[in-house]
Amino acid sequence: MTCAAAWSPPSSALGRRPGRGRRSSCSSVRPRAAAEEHSGGVGGVGEEAPRLVLLDSLDAAGVATAHARSAREGFAAQVGRLTGVNAETSIAISRGADLARAALCVAAEDDSLVSHSSVPLPVDAFISRLDDLSTGFCAGCNFPPHRAPPEVFFDYLDRYLYVHKGFRRTNGVSDVRALYLHSALTSRSGSALMLALIYSEIIKTVRIYGLLDFDAEIFFPTDLNGLPRGYDKQKSKSGDEPHIITSKSLLVEILKTLKTTFWPFQSNQSRSLFLNAAAANNYGPGALGGNQTRSLSLSAAIEMAAAKAAQHRLMRGVWTNVRFGDMRRALAACERLILLQHDPHDLRDYAALLYHCGYYEESLHYLSSYQTVMAGDSPSNWLGILEHEAVNTLRARVTLILAEDGWSNRRPAASYWTKNSEPW
């Protein structure tokens, strides 16, 4: 095929993609309002959404949060567009929420939380870069011949993205920048989730221009090295279903990956995040007696030391090592997962982090919400039993702390972000 035979969109079509516009990177929708728009409130328990703590606590500590709040509101606005039907559509179709903008709002908030920059992440500029990447496929020699079969179409697309543009997959554990869309666009290196999102944006652009005459789907790899690739859904097999990622599940997986990566308690990889935090809780206030004090293992002591080191680095404006976690970004990921109302376990995990930050009233509220949602569910395996017992222990500890005389007049949580003690 010669370049002259390739389809080229009209010059007017090569501008900003329809429906994007040059909107602000955020919306006036408040995170709390977005959560209340969903039926059932936080966790679906039918009550008013309680306060999400992170940004207010940073404000109280004198940390500027204007850019982080703007990004959070932008994310909440996109969550508000995820209706029941839209949330379950494939990212190759993606109606309702602008997934790329939502992902960039996540990146913008986290960047603001840890970079101490007075300049917000330019969300609109990265939207433009993504649009240019998408329209670049539709122009010149990059696009397949007219009415090419699906196999040829995807061969051209794979070659454009992974060879011509040089995008490659990177493990987020080795480089956390791979977990953010703006970094993937800049370095052309990202996680499988980021590459799948970019791949889907190109397909949606082709569909908007009316150049897609078959039902395209994206195969999301579940191994450690595979790349997202497209295929004709009409020729799919029954085994392909688990490899299809929906709009909501994409956002959930992005946030779960961030939560896991930045969780401050992760020395024991065989346990759940919550159990690691619960083990560290045994070293905190409100311990329930000598037996629990004696149960503090070496790994729990390591958890506490790692968390304290991470806090120490953050207070000096240093990006924390992933091994030490990052309380700010872990809290932010939990709060955004709560806005998505995907899994009640997010309420429990958030409560565990709030306990470590000294927000005992809010911790108790989220523990109560979690137990209300899970009422009637009995754990079916040893890990579930351990988590169930740890939730009861944590709730009892928080209740004892709050029962102390005059506790409501004390504000230990306000000092969490302002302690300047040495980490050891």
Side-chain angles (χ1 to χ4, degrees):
M1 183 191 74
T2 64
C3 290
W7 180 88
S8 180
S11 59
S12 60
L14 288 175
R16 180 159 300 276
R17 198 168 80 194
R20 289 277 197 199
R22 290 204 57 87
R23 296 178 295 166
S24 169
S25 62
C26 71
S27 165
S28 61
V29 177
R30 295 180 59 81
R32 175 167 173 168
E36 291 173 349
E37 285 177 2
H38 290 70
S39 60
V42 171
V45 297
E47 58 189 59
E48 183 181 358
R51 178 168 64 99
L52 298 177
V53 171
L54 174 61
L55 298 181
D56 286 344
S57 69
L58 289 172
D59 274 338
V63 178
T65 62
H67 298 323
R69 286 185 184 277
S70 177
R72 176 69 67 84
E73 291 170 356
F75 175 81
Q78 298 306 321
V79 171
R81 298 173 60 184
L82 275 179
T83 65
V85 175
N86 293 338
E88 300 306 318
T89 59
S90 166
I91 60 172
I93 301 173
S94 182
R95 300 187 181 93
D98 186 336
L99 299 179
R101 186 171 290 277
L104 286 169
C105 285
V106 169
E109 181 179 351
D110 282 8
D111 177 78
S112 176
L113 289 174
V114 298
S115 70
H116 301 275
S117 174
S118 60
V119 180
L121 188 78
V123 171
D124 284 322
F126 284 104
I127 289 290
S128 296
R129 177 175 293 200
L130 185 57
D131 286 342
D132 291 342
L133 178 67
S134 300
T135 55
F137 173 63
C138 299
C141 297
N142 299 317
F143 201 77
H146 183 59
R147 295 194 178 280
E151 294 78 8
V152 174
F153 173 88
F154 288 119
D155 181 64
Y156 271 75
L157 176 52
D158 292 346
R159 187 162 57 247
Y160 171 74
L161 187 62
Y162 299 129
V163 178
H164 178 59
K165 291 298 183 181
F167 279 83
R168 64 191 186 279
R169 180 176 174 180
T170 303
N171 190 336
V173 175
S174 60
D175 187 355
V176 297
R177 292 174 298 180
L179 305 178
Y180 295 106
L181 181 56
H182 74 292
S183 179
L185 289 170
T186 302
S187 64
R188 303 189 182 189
S189 174
S191 66
L193 289 166
M194 293 301 107
L195 294 180
L197 178 53
I198 294 171
Y199 202 101
S200 71
E201 291 293 312
I202 297 176
I203 290 179
K204 284 183 284 187
T205 297
V206 175
R207 181 178 287 111
I208 287 174
Y209 289 149
L211 303 174
L212 202 62
D213 55 3
F214 60 91
D215 193 2
E217 189 53 84
I218 297 175
F219 184 93
F220 184 79
T222 56
D223 59 10
L224 296 178
N225 300 309
L227 295 170
R229 298 185 185 276
Y231 65 95
D232 184 1
K233 191 172 183 179
Q234 299 299 323
K235 299 180 181 179
S236 62
K237 306 173 184 177
S238 58
D240 291 337
E241 291 297 325
H243 294 272
I244 296 176
I245 188 166
T246 65
S247 297
K248 184 175 182 179
S249 62
L250 175 75
L251 296 179
V252 167
E253 290 303 318
I254 289 173
L255 296 175
K256 284 173 62 177
T257 302
L258 291 173
K259 183 175 82 168
T260 300
T261 300
F262 296 118
W263 192 258
F265 317 99
Q266 48 182 304
S267 64
N268 190 336
Q269 299 298 323
S270 64
R271 296 185 306 194
S272 67
L273 300 178
F274 175 73
L275 284 177
N276 283 339
N281 286 345
N282 292 333
Y283 196 62
L288 300 181
N291 290 337
Q292 289 204 354
T293 301
R294 287 192 296 271
S295 70
L296 178 65
S297 62
L298 177 61
S299 64
I302 294 174
E303 303 281 8
M304 289 301 298
K308 195 172 182 181
Q311 178 185 336
H312 175 77
R313 290 162 61 84
L314 273 173
M315 292 315 303
R316 284 150 180 78
V318 180
W319 282 58
T320 60
N321 184 286
V322 174
R323 174 64 183 77
F324 288 155
D326 184 332
M327 183 64 84
R328 296 188 189 189
R329 284 186 280 185
L331 281 168
C334 284
E335 291 183 354
R336 291 184 294 246
L337 282 167
I338 289 173
L339 289 179
L340 280 169
Q341 299 188 21
H342 172 70
D343 185 349
H345 290 90
D346 296 322
L347 302 170
R348 178 202 64 187
D349 295 349
Y350 185 51
L353 294 185
L354 291 179
Y355 172 88
H356 282 286
C357 293
Y359 274 87
Y360 302 118
E361 293 179 354
E362 287 81 359
S363 177
L364 180 59
H365 183 99
Y366 280 99
L367 285 172
S368 300
S369 298
Y370 167 73
Q371 291 185 317
T372 300
V373 175
M374 300 299 291
D377 289 353
S378 299
S380 58
N381 53 59
W382 70 270
L383 184 62
I385 293 173
L386 289 176
E387 291 178 335
H388 179 75
E389 293 175 349
V391 168
N392 291 332
T393 300
L394 178 58
R395 180 167 181 171
R397 180 179 293 122
V398 174
T399 301
L400 285 177
I401 293 173
L402 294 175
E404 294 181 7
D405 292 337
W407 173 259
S408 60
N409 295 325
R410 288 186 255 164
R411 298 185 59 82
S415 63
Y416 181 83
W417 305 114
T418 56
K419 290 179 181 176
N420 290 309
S421 59
E422 293 302 313
W424 310 114

